[in-house]
Amino acid sequence: GESVGLHLPTLSVQEGDNSIINCAYSNSASDYFIWYKQESGKGPQFIIDIRSNMDKRQGQRVTVLLNKTVKHLSLQIAATQPGDSAVYFCAETGRNTGNQFYFGTGTSLTVIP
Amino acid sequence: EAGVVQSPRYKIIEKKQPVAFWCNPISGHNTLYWYLQNLGQGPELLIRYENEEAVDDSQLPKDRFSAERLKGVDSTLKIQPAELGDSAVYLCASSLAVTGELFFGEGSRLTVL
């Protein structure tokens, strides 16, 4: 199967600081990437996506950066809040995988008040 | 707008017993997915439907798992007989297009004793 991995399994940040969650992917043909947030006992929730023809995309307090050269994806959360505490997954897909989404293991983000 | 609805949310059974999970996708979403999520891991695809057709079931353990989506709307995932290793969260997701964002339900947590 495809390899979508995260550099850090856990991350703790102080409330108000910025958070950066990283993700490495192995399929150079992947052309669509999504970051999901999963709170305890709930299903994954869409945060932001990016297609391979872009390097950066911004949402409300979140930014996704895509570096296709090194096959790296990152999620930046500005002014992290306690409600941001959750597990974050990156997912990739592409035509050569039949548009199947592959999810990474996840990074657990804990925001310290 | 109602999201993806799954039931039951929790199920505890003894090994060798059957179990079934139900999913109703977002209205108008033709693509439906069943994912398996083990503790601390990302979701793994079991089966994907385009309308009523299973277009990707290569990772579904067909000796004990079955799924159906008879009218191209709601879907049922069945395990018979259940084994201890089947304890996990079973997530249903739907998307408007095969290349689009996945919307997840809250999941069905199965515990096999």
Side-chain angles (χ1 to χ4, degrees):
Chain A
E2 300 298 325
S3 173
V4 180
L6 297 176
H7 294 312
L8 295 172
T10 61
L11 178 65
S12 296
V13 298
Q14 206 70 36
E15 180 179 359
D17 288 350
N18 297 333
S19 302
I20 299 177
I21 300 172
N22 297 303
C23 176
Y25 64 95
S26 61
N27 184 3
S28 57
S30 290
D31 56 14
Y32 183 46
F33 305 85
I34 301 179
W35 279 101
Y36 281 92
K37 172 186 180 183
Q38 187 172 26
E39 296 176 274
S40 181
K42 296 187 176 181
Q45 180 183 12
F46 173 93
I47 301 174
I48 193 168
D49 60 358
I50 189 168
R51 296 201 179 270
S52 58
N53 60 352
M54 302 173 68
D55 297 324
K56 178 180 180 179
R57 190 158 189 231
Q58 289 185 292
Q60 186 177 10
R61 286 201 305 117
V62 295
T63 300
V64 55
L65 298 177
L66 175 62
N67 186 330
K68 295 181 286 293
T69 302
V70 295
K71 292 183 285 188
H72 183 268
L73 195 70
S74 69
L75 176 70
Q76 300 177 2
I77 305 174
T80 312
Q81 303 169 358
D84 295 327
S85 293
V87 177
Y88 290 80
F89 295 97
C90 64
E92 62 165 330
T93 189
R95 291 177 189 267
N96 70 328
T97 61
N99 294 308
Q100 177 181 336
F101 280 93
Y102 289 93
F103 287 79
T105 302
T107 292
S108 177
L109 174 66
T110 300
V111 181
I112 305 168
Chain B
E1 177 183 322
V4 176
V5 180
Q6 291 188 246
S7 69
R9 287 296 314 277
Y10 304 93
K11 188 74 176 179
I12 301 174
I13 61 172
E14 293 188 345
K15 62 181 180 181
K16 300 185 181 180
Q17 294 299 305
V19 63
F21 305 112
W22 176 82
C23 171
N24 188 261
I26 293 173
S27 178
H29 283 196
N30 296 325
T31 307
L32 183 146
Y33 309 75
W34 282 103
Y35 280 88
L36 165 71
Q37 186 175 30
N38 288 304
L39 186 65
Q41 300 294 318
E44 300 173 30
L45 181 69
L46 289 172
I47 189 168
R48 183 181 88 198
Y49 282 94
E50 293 293 333
N51 298 303
E52 65 273 9
E53 182 182 359
V55 296
D56 186 352
D57 63 354
S58 58
Q59 298 177 69
L60 187 73
K62 299 181 183 62
D63 57 335
R64 297 184 300 107
F65 286 65
S66 65
E68 61 183 16
R69 194 185 185 199
L70 294 176
K71 296 183 179 180
V73 180
D74 57 350
S75 175
T76 303
L77 177 69
K78 298 179 180 178
I79 308 174
Q80 182 172 10
E83 297 179 351
L84 295 176
D86 296 332
S87 295
V89 175
Y90 292 84
L91 292 164
C92 180
S94 69
S95 65
L96 188 59
V98 68
T99 57
E101 168 196 347
L102 301 182
F103 293 83
F104 284 88
E106 300 282 71
S108 295
R109 180 177 294 277
L110 173 66
T111 300
V112 182
L113 303 176

